[in-house]
Amino acid sequence: MIKELPEIFDLIIVGAGHAGCEAAHAASKLGLATLVLTNNIDRIGHLSCNPAIGGLAKGHMVKEIDALGGIMGLWADESGIQFRRLNTRKGPAVQATRAQMDRSRYLFSAQSTLFSLDHLYIMEAFAEDLLVTSGRIRGVRTAFGEDFYAPAVLLTTGTFLQGQIHVGLRSSSGGRLGDPASAGLSHSLRKLGLDLGRLKTGTVPRLLKESIDFSVMQEQHGDDPPPRFSFRGAPRTLRQIPCHITYTSSSTHECINAGLDRSPMYQGLIHGTGARYCPSIEDKVARFPEKERHQIFVEPEGLDSHEVYPNGISTSLPLDVQKKMLQTIPGLEKAIIVRPGYAIEYDYIHPTQLTPHLETRAVQGLYSAGQINGTSGYEEAAAQGLWAALNIYARSHGTDFILKRDQAYMAVLVDDLITRGTSEPYRMFTSRAEYRLLLREDNADERLTPLGRELGLVDDAYWKIFTARQQQMQSLKEALRSMVIRPDQSTVKILEQIGAHPPKRSASLADILKQPSISIRELKPLWSGLDDYEDAILERVQTDIKFEGYISRQREMAERIRHLEDTGLPRDLDYTRVSGLSREAVEKLSAIRPETLGQAGRISGITPATLSALQIYLKMGKKDPQQDKDH
């Protein structure tokens, strides 16, 4: 079938990084005629910074994306060259998957998928201006003077808005090294009344693999068998290879300190705020002078790549200082810099100007996702891209897509952004989620796949896998709870051999499993039927049974405050008419416009007394006559 270009699209996506790719995949799979505008088609799906997907809390979001029917997890599984489970000695809530990617293979997977989608159109063009009429988006105008029209526009511009690259005291315009920045869109957004801020991120010097002495470094292998991101069981074909670990030295720190007089960050040339949790090496050395060394992960860029990524030495120091610094690091003494490390400043939208759907309040139909909203990381961007696309699709069908904080990490991400905002690149951590035992990696499908199916993004093949897995888990739980053992001599002997405390009376296998020192696999001498289940099923059931009490308490906690999350606030509520509110509360509530009492309570500076005043006001029915009828 020959594609024909629509006169009016359902959605225009500006940018084709991880937010743009995830949004484009979801929207087009759901049948929306979607146009992607990107300044470089060859860079679609490019891993601009470190060649890795996942990590603590980030891996959780990749799993959630996959559970909803998104694509990042599948691309990662196809492209991974080293997979590891992190925090395996800690509780299941904070365990996560991380994988090194073959950079070129990931890009190939992304482009192969996107270019094969029926309803997706991709063009290489700079979006220079937004077309708006009476507060509603109409489309986009490109630098070529071409207009494209759609009732929804999603901005996923990453670091490209007024991007400025710094290497030492030299700076140049750019969205990333080798790609031009976008100038027009920042002006267009300000003209529409949106408040923009300035952030900064950075990257490491890329090194020639053949110039590195790996023999003096610690080798780090992945897990065998390698874990996967996707619940769909995609085959993995790539060879698995190790990473390496080395460290900075006191000589490294002396070299860095000597170069701070030419650091753009320390000489006031960089005005954007950097990521607190991912500082540059010069920042780490300056802020923590007592540390004798800093760890560096030397990560491969791909099976056939000649570049490596020395994770841990992000820098914007002058090139000559970067070279001297490397000469003091074991294994990197003769390293050749293929691409210098640099810092990049860029514009972002203060996210408190967004609704929970990631739509701007200033312009109806204008959405944003990814680093433009103040976040950092591929996974945060992809989660927002999917979130925005599902909301755009839902709105076109007269429905809504909103998740609560006890349902998904991506809900925590969006809620944090729109209620608390951010003045530095936001990074997701497990500690940001108050219900993290409910939001484990392993149960993301149980939480979200039925919703993805309802929306239409989960296909028949995936749904069949999901339902079969749910049935297996249910049958295993029922078997463990119904199978009762008696403390006779032979049973006591088996229990003592596996390190379990024999019960004083008859007990189920589920009761035995709740003992902290016992794993489900150790119960096989008591029931050989465990051999019929794959490891992933055994581990999930083990977690559900062992942490049953804690999980129930977290669910109860979520239910206790559910009334706050379900109590809506009128969108045009005049907060000056609510008695008992401080001036600060009125200003913040009027600016952010929370949609529920729960969201209001998470705004910085909003006290329990403020929530009580709002509840009293709503109960007394003191509403303005022109309030939103939906509430």
Side-chain angles (χ1 to χ4, degrees):
M1 181 178 175
I2 299 175
K3 271 190 177 182
E4 293 185 8
L5 203 64
E7 289 187 13
I8 299 178
F9 294 91
D10 296 314
L11 169 63
I12 297 172
I13 300 172
V14 179
H18 300 281
C21 284
E22 201 66 55
H25 171 264
S28 56
K29 290 286 282 186
L30 290 169
L32 298 184
T34 304
L35 172 64
V36 172
L37 297 176
T38 174
N39 70 318
N40 189 341
I41 281 182
D42 295 333
R43 295 276 197 133
I44 292 173
H46 182 55
L47 298 162
S48 301
C49 198
N50 65 316
I53 296 289
L56 302 180
K58 293 170 176 281
H60 290 72
M61 284 191 291
V62 178
K63 293 270 193 178
E64 290 175 355
I65 290 167
D66 185 78
L68 280 168
I71 198 68
M72 177 178 258
L74 279 173
W75 289 344
D77 282 351
E78 290 173 358
S79 312
I81 53 178
Q82 190 201 93
F83 289 77
R84 296 177 61 224
R85 288 283 292 165
L86 308 180
N87 274 354
T88 53
R89 295 183 181 179
K90 297 184 178 180
V94 295
Q95 294 179 18
T97 306
R98 185 181 188 274
Q100 294 300 130
M101 296 292 108
D102 183 303
R103 195 187 294 275
S104 58
R105 177 59 184 264
Y106 189 92
L107 185 143
F108 174 80
S109 293
Q111 294 186 12
S112 297
T113 300
L114 296 179
F115 275 101
S116 69
L117 295 173
D118 289 338
H119 301 286
L120 185 62
Y121 304 81
I122 302 172
M123 295 185 183
E124 186 167 292
F126 264 105
E128 279 292 298
D129 200 5
L130 298 170
L131 307 177
V132 178
T133 302
S134 301
R136 176 184 283 276
I137 198 75
R138 289 177 52 243
V140 169
R141 177 166 294 156
T142 73
F144 300 130
E146 193 172 13
D147 292 347
F148 295 100
Y149 298 98
V153 171
L154 173 60
L155 302 179
T156 65
T157 51
T159 60
F160 279 72
L161 290 186
Q162 298 281 14
Q164 193 75 13
I165 292 172
H166 298 269
V167 180
L169 303 183
R170 299 175 182 269
S171 66
S172 60
S173 175
R176 61 183 164 219
L177 201 62
D179 287 315
S182 171
L185 274 182
S186 285
H187 175 70
S188 184
L189 289 168
R190 287 192 173 95
K191 190 170 63 176
L192 292 169
L194 285 157
D195 184 24
L196 305 186
R198 198 82 171 147
L199 293 178
K200 167 254 174 187
T201 188
T203 190
V204 307
R206 304 322 202 267
L207 309 178
L208 183 68
K209 182 170 67 175
E210 288 77 12
S211 66
I212 294 174
D213 182 6
F214 292 102
S215 67
V216 299
M217 299 181 187
Q218 176 187 339
E219 200 169 58
Q220 182 188 58
H221 291 273
D223 294 344
D224 186 21
R228 290 174 175 173
F229 285 109
S230 179
F231 292 101
R232 285 168 265 194
R236 184 180 297 113
T237 57
L238 296 188
R239 176 167 51 91
Q240 302 293 287
I241 59 176
C243 295
H244 293 81
I245 298 173
T246 186
Y247 297 87
T248 61
S249 64
S250 58
S251 298
T252 313
H253 301 176
E254 290 172 8
C255 178
I256 290 169
N257 283 321
L260 291 181
D261 61 337
R262 290 189 290 145
S263 162
M265 186 166 58
Y266 283 86
Q267 296 308 309
L269 298 182
I270 294 178
H271 304 289
T273 307
R276 187 190 336 173
Y277 304 104
C278 190
S280 65
I281 186 62
E282 54 265 38
D283 208 18
K284 286 191 278 191
V285 168
R287 286 169 54 193
F288 307 106
E290 73 283 357
K291 284 208 75 168
E292 296 181 358
R293 64 179 190 172
H294 295 278
Q295 193 173 54
I296 302 168
F297 292 91
V298 182
E299 300 171 342
E301 296 251 345
L303 294 177
D304 301 314
S305 175
H306 295 280
E307 294 180 45
V308 298
Y309 187 96
N311 194 352
I313 54 171
S314 170
T315 183
S316 59
L317 287 167
L319 186 55
D320 63 301
V321 179
Q322 294 185 34
K323 291 178 179 178
K324 290 177 184 176
M325 172 183 71
L326 291 171
Q327 292 169 2
T328 66
I329 298 172
L332 304 182
E333 294 91 344
K334 297 181 179 180
I336 296 172
I337 295 178
V338 177
R339 312 179 200 202
Y342 62 89
I344 182 167
E345 287 184 281
Y346 55 96
D347 289 345
Y348 79 108
I349 296 172
H350 288 292
T352 52
Q353 300 170 99
L354 305 175
T355 72
H357 311 87
L358 296 183
E359 182 181 23
T360 64
R361 291 192 178 89
V363 180
Q364 189 175 351
L366 178 61
Y367 297 75
S368 58
Q371 284 178 285
I372 190 176
N373 288 346
T375 59
S376 66
Y378 309 141
E379 303 82 4
E380 289 91 342
Q384 290 174 74
L386 179 59
W387 184 283
L390 292 177
N391 272 289
I392 292 165
Y393 171 77
R395 174 161 292 181
S396 71
H397 286 70
T399 58
D400 216 359
F401 173 79
I402 293 292
L403 299 174
K404 292 182 169 61
R405 293 177 70 94
D406 61 332
Q407 291 179 284
Y409 267 92
M410 61 174 70
V412 175
L413 166 67
V414 171
D415 187 66
D416 279 357
L417 290 175
I418 66 168
T419 59
R420 298 169 181 169
T422 187
S423 58
E424 62 181 80
Y426 177 103
R427 180 178 178 179
M428 179 54 75
F429 294 101
T430 53
S431 58
R432 296 191 189 271
E434 57 269 50
Y435 306 112
R436 54 184 174 270
L437 194 53
L438 303 181
L439 306 182
R440 306 187 310 273
E441 263 198 7
D442 66 347
N443 71 353
D445 62 335
E446 192 171 335
R447 290 183 275 124
L448 300 175
T449 298
L451 179 58
R453 178 68 172 180
E454 184 181 329
L455 287 163
L457 199 53
V458 170
D459 60 24
D460 292 342
Y462 184 11
W463 185 247
K464 185 177 180 181
I465 293 171
F466 169 75
T467 52
R469 186 163 54 238
Q470 291 300 113
Q471 289 168 2
Q472 281 188 301
M473 287 193 298
Q474 187 61 32
S475 70
L476 178 55
K477 287 178 185 178
E478 290 174 357
L480 291 172
R481 286 169 179 152
S482 63
M483 193 163 299
V484 175
I485 59 170
R486 295 174 177 79
D488 54 34
Q489 188 174 359
S490 61
T491 302
V492 167
K493 184 177 180 181
I494 293 173
L495 291 172
E496 289 175 344
Q497 286 175 343
I498 63 175
H501 298 293
K504 293 181 179 179
R505 58 182 66 88
S506 296
S508 69
L509 288 183
D511 292 329
I512 301 298
L513 183 57
K514 288 181 180 180
Q515 296 185 25
S517 61
I518 300 302
S519 74
I520 193 168
R521 293 175 183 83
E522 291 174 315
L523 298 179
K524 288 183 179 181
L526 296 169
W527 182 43
S528 60
L530 288 169
D531 288 325
D532 297 334
Y533 296 90
E534 61 183 45
D535 287 346
I537 298 294
L538 294 176
E539 289 176 10
R540 282 184 63 172
V541 169
Q542 173 177 273
T543 299
D544 283 346
I545 290 176
K546 278 186 175 293
F547 293 88
E548 189 173 28
Y550 296 101
I551 291 170
S552 295
R553 280 197 286 275
Q554 285 207 352
R555 287 203 177 106
E556 289 169 7
M557 285 172 55
E559 284 302 317
R560 278 201 298 270
I561 67 166
R562 182 74 72 188
H563 72 283
L564 293 177
E565 302 297 340
D566 292 338
T567 303
L569 290 170
R571 291 178 189 141
D572 58 354
L573 174 60
D574 183 356
Y575 288 99
T576 62
R577 297 184 60 181
V578 181
S579 62
L581 298 189
S582 67
R583 179 178 296 179
E584 179 191 10
V586 170
E587 288 176 354
K588 289 187 174 181
L589 291 167
S590 299
I592 295 173
R593 292 277 158 198
E595 297 202 354
T596 67
L597 280 175
Q599 286 179 6
R602 290 187 289 275
I603 298 173
S604 174
I606 299 301
T607 64
T610 300
L611 294 182
S612 295
L614 287 171
Q615 284 179 300
I616 292 170
Y617 182 85
L618 293 174
K619 284 179 181 177
M620 293 177 66
K622 291 184 178 178
K623 298 183 180 182
D624 294 334
Q626 299 302 315
Q627 281 179 350
D628 192 330
K629 299 293 173 68
D630 292 341
H631 291 79

